[in-house]
Amino acid sequence: MAAKRALVTGITGQDGTYLAELLLAKGYQVFGLIRGQNNPKRAMIEQMLPGVELVEGDLTDMSSLLSTLEYSRPDEVYNLGAISFVKLSFSQPELTGNVTGLGALRLLEAVRIIDGGKGHIRFYQASSSEMFGKVRETPQDELTAFHPRSPYGVAKVYAHYMTMNYRESYGLYACSGIAFNHESERRGHEFVTRKITSSVARISLGLQKDLTLGNVDAARDWGHAADFVEAFWLMLQQQSPDDYVVATGETHTVRDFLDLAFAEIGIDDWAPLVKKDARFMRPAEVDLLVGDASKARQVLGWTPKVSFADLVKRMVAADIEIEKARKA
Ligand code: NDP
Ligand code: GDR
């Protein structure tokens, strides 16, 4: 039987790399959408994922999406591409709407056109717990009402409903994974977990004195990205398409993360090392998120493997190695 073919947007991002590794290990032929002229992450991806064929295109450019689909002829399309940093979405709301919101619509429309009603191409949309925002109930599940608190959250709600709409209108096999925060050794440095672990590593090596953060009382349901991409893949392997919450079911504050991260380098009282700055606060905050992933557990048989404590431990250890190598 011919190998299955998958197209991944957001291939240069955290989830893109883990998902591509999973798909390659399962024998897929993997295509990754890469944007821009001379994308600085191209070399890193080519080195890390030599089995992935990169195809140039952009979620804001419909014709590039059509030609990418024509070229790659995928069985499965994973739409992970987005402006994904919530803070940035406040300063660049139109760009966020265009990429994170309309980008999903363009890709759905391109899939509909290229699929031509055959129902062959399966589609995954990277929805987010940020759609719950100012939460209506705790924990949050697939039926919890949305109340997004950022241009990013609003754009994701649009993309989420568009995915549902294409499923209901055109019979597309289209799923959304409502993923709660997932982190890793590959997490971007703009996100709070990686900002903390790389700073902790640098502090331990005498390369940095302190760390400046915003709201350390925010609580998130944090898992490991390698676990989460498995759920994304499982969603596209079912009899029928549906939406699923992907979460660990545990919530921890940024303070808890700081406790564990600093404990890794033998510091119990981190307060003198962490400064607060309004620049890292958001115009509207999401205070608490915790997901109920019972449906994913029951239908997909999915459970996360990496605990919160292990996640922090792994991230700090990896950053210490990176910083040591840099220092050397
Ligand atoms: P990253 O920020 O690490 O990656 C985002 C990806 O989107 C990058 O590959 C980026 O490419 C790409 N991208 C940005 N703009 C465009 C564009 N105009 N056209 C094509 N691609 C573009 O995100 P993650 O890997 O963490 O997340 C993957 C997806 O899951 C995102 O949609 C995110 O919103 C969503 N999500 C993530 C969660 C998490 O906790 N990680 C939780 C819930 C949802 P480039 O490198 O060129 O900038
Ligand atoms: P989030 O992740 O907004 O949840 O979105 P982020 O790590 O940016 O923030 C988490 C919480 O930490 C607080 N915080 C800070 N955040 C950052 N980035 N930098 C700081 O200095 C800082 N200080 C405190 C934030 O206010 C927030 O409450 C992530 C992204 O991956 C989204 O794409 C995804 O959809 C959601 O997770 C689920």
Side-chain angles (χ1 to χ4, degrees):
M1 209 171 75
K4 270 195 182 177
R5 302 161 74 94
L7 171 66
V8 179
T9 74
I11 192 75
T12 55
Q14 172 189 255
D15 292 8
T17 62
Y18 281 109
L19 179 65
E21 281 174 354
L22 179 105
L23 294 170
L24 289 169
K26 290 186 183 296
Y28 278 69
Q29 189 172 353
V30 181
F31 298 84
L33 187 82
I34 186 154
R35 70 173 171 139
Q37 187 178 325
N38 194 16
N39 189 312
K41 294 194 197 140
R42 177 185 273 271
M44 182 267 287
I45 294 298
E46 283 172 345
Q47 199 193 6
M48 184 192 260
L49 301 165
V52 171
E53 183 173 347
L54 296 174
V55 187
E56 283 169 9
D58 195 302
L59 285 165
T60 61
D61 184 325
M62 181 71 179
S63 64
S64 73
L65 299 178
L66 285 166
S67 57
T68 299
L69 285 168
E70 252 166 3
Y71 175 76
S72 57
R73 294 182 287 107
D75 302 287
E76 296 171 12
V77 173
Y78 295 86
N79 184 32
L80 309 183
I83 298 296
S84 77
F85 186 31
V86 172
K87 180 79 163 56
L88 181 79
S89 78
F90 285 101
S91 53
Q92 300 186 26
E94 186 182 342
L95 177 71
T96 306
N98 197 7
V99 178
T100 306
L102 282 172
L105 167 64
R106 288 189 196 96
L107 191 55
L108 281 162
E109 187 58 5
V111 165
R112 184 185 71 79
I113 292 166
I114 298 291
D115 192 54
K118 290 198 287 289
H120 174 72
I121 305 178
R122 296 188 168 200
F123 181 89
Y124 175 81
Q125 168 59 20
S127 285
S128 165
S129 53
E130 282 293 301
M131 301 189 305
F132 297 123
K134 192 171 180 186
V135 297
R136 306 284 181 89
E137 60 184 357
T138 295
Q140 298 86 48
D141 64 20
E142 293 79 5
L143 299 177
T144 302
F146 297 142
H147 186 145
R149 296 272 279 173
S150 62
Y152 168 81
V154 173
K156 282 287 182 189
V157 170
Y158 174 84
H160 181 80
Y161 281 128
M162 272 301 170
T163 305
M164 275 174 68
N165 184 256
Y166 270 62
R167 180 167 75 217
E168 292 171 5
S169 305
Y170 306 113
L172 206 73
Y173 188 110
C175 302
S176 282
I178 307 175
F180 284 61
N181 297 56
H182 44 281
E183 319 292 314
S184 72
E185 301 84 328
R186 301 179 194 167
R187 187 59 145 152
H189 285 82
E190 64 273 42
F191 301 100
V192 76
T193 54
R194 189 72 194 280
K195 186 173 167 183
I196 293 171
T197 60
S198 72
S199 298
V200 163
R202 290 176 61 78
I203 289 168
S204 78
L205 297 170
L207 297 168
Q208 189 175 319
K209 279 206 320 282
D210 49 29
L211 152 73
T212 307
L213 295 175
N215 173 22
V216 293
D217 295 312
R220 292 287 184 277
D221 181 330
W222 273 301
H224 195 285
D227 284 342
F228 278 49
V229 297
E230 203 188 338
F232 307 166
W233 173 77
L234 282 167
M235 282 178 221
L236 297 200
Q237 315 310 315
Q238 305 304 307
Q239 282 278 316
S240 47
D242 208 342
D243 304 325
Y244 298 86
V245 159
V246 189
T248 71
E250 266 183 41
T251 193
H252 298 276
T253 60
V254 175
R255 276 177 200 284
D256 297 335
F257 198 99
L258 284 160
D259 282 345
L260 294 187
F262 274 104
E264 287 298 309
I265 59 163
I267 295 177
D268 291 332
D269 180 16
W270 46 259
L273 299 171
V274 177
K275 300 194 164 29
K276 201 167 174 175
D277 191 321
R279 277 187 303 135
F280 298 109
M281 308 288 280
R282 293 163 186 191
E285 178 61 293
V286 172
D287 296 319
L288 179 139
L289 292 171
V290 56
D292 175 355
S294 306
K295 183 173 164 186
R297 197 167 50 244
Q298 281 152 22
V299 181
L300 307 177
W302 177 82
T303 44
K305 299 178 195 79
V306 181
S307 68
F308 178 66
D310 284 346
L311 171 71
V312 182
K313 204 181 260 295
R314 280 167 64 157
M315 289 179 71
V316 173
D319 274 325
I320 289 176
E321 287 314 308
I322 289 170
E323 293 301 336
K324 269 188 189 159
R326 222 176 253 158
K327 201 178 168 186

